[in-house]
Amino acid sequence: MTQFTPMEDQIRECFGRVIYTHKAHEKMADGCSQTLQRYKLCQIGVSVLTTSGALTVVFLDEFWLKLATAGLSIVGLWASGYMKGFDPGGTAQKHRDAAANLWPIRESYLSLLTDLRMNVVTPEDAGKRRDELQERLAAIYLGTPQTNSKAYAKAQIALQRNEDYTFSDEEIDKFVPSALRKLGK
């Protein structure tokens, strides 16, 4: 069993939190994009049905058709008004930006852990780098939208079950030149 120093333990904990936060923002962006797509499709569908109803009323003087067309028009108006105050596309972009800003922090924590394990950095220097990363992270969090438990649960599934960001030696060997391969040079 590998022994970790208290410094390594703390940095590993920070690294893990950043991984989950990063993935949760990606999942929130995906969810917001799906919401936007559903609302846009709904708006198009209601518009098509309203237009069809309006054109049909010109040729057929049916009361129920007029009523249905008016009802659809009200639904379309409500959906447009709702979308005016709700911007899932803009929110999705904010979550994508947050994930993009968290990525270098995440990679820096990983590099710091590697440097610690290789004794390339002293514990004192590691503490300074950790503090700098925490300051950068705090600045990012100030302008970051909140995630929710649903996004966190999806992040958990992606990271634990689907093993996002986890690669086998075979997979990595496919990306690197033969001189850098680990297996079957």
Side-chain angles (χ1 to χ4, degrees):
M1 185 171 156
T2 304
Q3 283 288 352
F4 294 107
T5 65
M7 177 71 69
E8 280 178 298
D9 284 339
Q10 185 198 21
I11 293 170
R12 287 169 54 85
E13 184 75 22
C14 293
F15 176 60
R17 282 195 301 264
V18 172
I19 286 173
Y20 271 93
T21 303
H22 173 263
K23 183 51 81 173
H25 279 289
E26 286 184 341
K27 294 301 180 184
M28 285 293 295
D30 292 346
C32 291
S33 293
Q34 289 170 353
T35 298
L36 176 64
Q37 185 176 17
R38 281 193 301 272
Y39 276 104
K40 292 293 183 185
L41 288 174
C42 178
Q43 282 181 314
I44 291 168
V46 168
S47 293
V48 166
L49 292 173
T50 303
T51 302
S52 298
L55 290 174
T56 306
V57 167
V58 171
F59 300 106
L60 300 174
D61 193 22
E62 297 286 335
F63 178 74
W64 70 268
L65 195 55
K66 292 176 185 176
L67 193 62
T69 301
L72 284 170
S73 179
I74 290 169
V75 169
L77 179 63
W78 173 83
S80 294
Y82 181 75
M83 289 300 289
K84 185 175 181 343
F86 176 60
D87 183 16
T91 304
Q93 188 58 52
K94 287 177 184 176
H95 284 290
R96 281 190 198 94
D97 292 345
N101 290 331
L102 289 169
W103 183 262
I105 301 293
R106 173 191 163 138
E107 294 303 302
S108 294
Y109 271 120
L110 181 59
S111 295
L112 180 54
L113 284 169
T114 303
D115 290 347
L116 266 171
R117 181 55 45 174
M118 294 175 53
N119 293 317
V120 174
V121 62
T122 66
E124 294 78 25
D125 287 339
K128 288 176 187 173
R129 285 174 53 188
R130 177 209 51 212
D131 293 345
E132 289 169 7
L133 287 171
Q134 288 174 338
E135 285 177 26
R136 287 174 48 202
L137 198 54
I140 291 169
Y141 286 155
L142 283 176
T144 301
Q146 293 291 314
T147 58
N148 60 27
S149 59
K150 188 176 179 181
Y152 184 84
K154 287 181 179 183
Q156 233 177 351
I157 290 168
L159 292 168
Q160 292 179 10
R161 197 175 311 152
N162 300 345
E163 296 185 2
D164 281 13
Y165 309 125
T166 304
F167 305 99
S168 69
D169 287 334
E170 292 86 4
E171 288 175 299
I172 294 170
D173 279 351
K174 290 177 184 177
F175 302 129
V176 298
S178 58
L180 297 177
R181 291 185 184 152
K182 198 172 196 181
L183 307 170
K185 292 185 180 188

